[in-house]
Amino acid sequence: MNRRYSFWKFISRKKYLIVSVLGVVFVGFVGENSILKHVQNRMLVRGMKAEIDAYNAQYEKDEHMLKELQRNPKAITKIARERYFMKADDEDIFVLSDDKKKEDNNNETTD
């Protein structure tokens, strides 16, 4: 009996502190609008803004290429040759490779 009485006496004296601590824990970590969720959402927004910037840069590059293709008919042949390896009827294409054969050093042994 004495033990229960001392427990309730402690709670009655520190009730504002206990409620404050529980409120801070709930707001900070448990709730749907917690600080932890807020930080995660900010990181997510930052990543999405970086993606938007990358897509905008790609869009500008593609739009520039499209305008170039509409202005210059030789640009179409240039892209066809570079990307799709197409050639004119009277041309020959030689593909040069700069691959080097790797020599095996089977003669050396390590102990």
Side-chain angles (χ1 to χ4, degrees):
M1 194 74 141
N2 191 16
R3 200 172 180 148
R4 280 188 186 168
Y5 179 73
S6 65
F7 176 71
W8 287 111
K9 189 175 180 182
F10 174 78
I11 288 180
S12 66
R13 285 184 186 169
K14 307 286 184 175
K15 60 185 168 191
Y16 296 113
L17 178 65
I18 292 171
V19 169
S20 298
V21 168
L22 289 175
V24 167
V25 167
F26 183 75
V27 169
F29 301 104
V30 178
E32 190 167 318
N33 295 324
S34 68
I35 295 171
L36 188 63
K37 291 276 188 183
H38 185 70
V39 169
Q40 289 174 347
N41 288 338
R42 279 192 175 219
M43 290 173 49
L44 185 65
V45 166
R46 191 177 306 131
M48 287 182 175
K49 283 183 180 180
E51 275 187 55
I52 288 172
D53 291 341
Y55 285 132
N56 284 336
Q58 182 67 33
Y59 174 76
E60 294 293 328
K61 179 182 170 188
D62 291 342
E63 188 174 353
H64 175 70
M65 184 169 286
L66 182 62
K67 287 180 182 178
E68 181 67 27
L69 288 173
Q70 290 172 347
R71 271 187 296 165
N72 188 1
K74 290 185 179 183
I76 295 173
T77 59
K78 178 183 175 188
I79 290 174
R81 289 171 190 251
E82 289 177 357
R83 289 192 184 172
Y84 303 109
F85 303 111
M86 295 182 172
K87 66 179 185 92
D89 291 334
D90 60 342
E91 300 185 311
D92 291 330
I93 295 179
F94 297 98
V95 178
L96 302 176
S97 175
D98 61 348
D99 294 339
K100 296 180 181 180
K101 291 183 180 179
K102 294 182 180 178
E103 295 181 18
D104 293 329
N105 292 333
N106 291 336
N107 296 341
E108 298 179 7
T109 59
T110 57
D111 290 71

